[in-house]
Amino acid sequence: MIGSKWTVLIVPALRGGPLRFGELRRRLDGITQKSLTQALRTLERDGLVTRTQYPTVPLRVEYALTDLGLRAVALLAGVRDWAEANLTDVLDARAAYDARGAG
């Protein structure tokens, strides 16, 4: 769950406080509505995110991190930092692998 592509992006995006679906989607460049919906449902089911629905017209829904989700922020920041620091090595390894014609 923590290693999911979208979890790594959604949890830090919610770090600053609750966001509406559209706001969250705008912050996550490249995510489809379907992927975001599925990821948020999974995060809610796993206890990292809450979904609050307000009885307004139009309906307003906000997503926020739970205490468990807030505890995951530091972990995911570490994963992001590692990825940024090692991106060149990973890309070099992929290129070497692909050049071998492995697979």
Side-chain angles (χ1 to χ4, degrees):
M1 161 218 9
I2 292 293
S4 158
K5 172 183 177 179
W6 295 118
T7 296
V8 172
L9 298 173
I10 291 169
V11 169
L14 291 171
R15 177 183 56 220
L19 291 174
R20 294 177 71 176
F21 185 91
E23 294 171 312
L24 189 54
R25 186 166 178 214
R26 282 188 290 280
R27 290 185 186 202
L28 302 174
D29 188 37
I31 193 168
T32 65
Q33 182 172 336
K34 180 180 178 183
S35 293
L36 181 55
T37 298
Q38 289 174 339
L40 287 168
R41 284 182 183 157
T42 299
L43 290 170
E44 184 180 10
R45 181 174 183 247
D46 291 341
L48 276 73
V49 169
T50 59
R51 178 183 187 273
T52 304
Q53 185 172 310
Y54 297 93
T56 59
V57 177
L59 186 66
R60 190 179 89 192
V61 177
E62 289 183 341
Y63 295 90
L65 293 176
T66 62
D67 288 340
L68 182 61
L70 287 168
R71 292 194 302 268
V73 168
L75 173 64
L76 294 173
V79 171
R80 184 196 66 234
D81 292 345
W82 179 91
E84 289 173 354
N86 293 284
L87 178 61
T88 301
D89 292 335
V90 171
L91 294 175
D92 289 346
R94 285 181 181 177
Y97 181 89
D98 293 346
R100 289 194 330 248

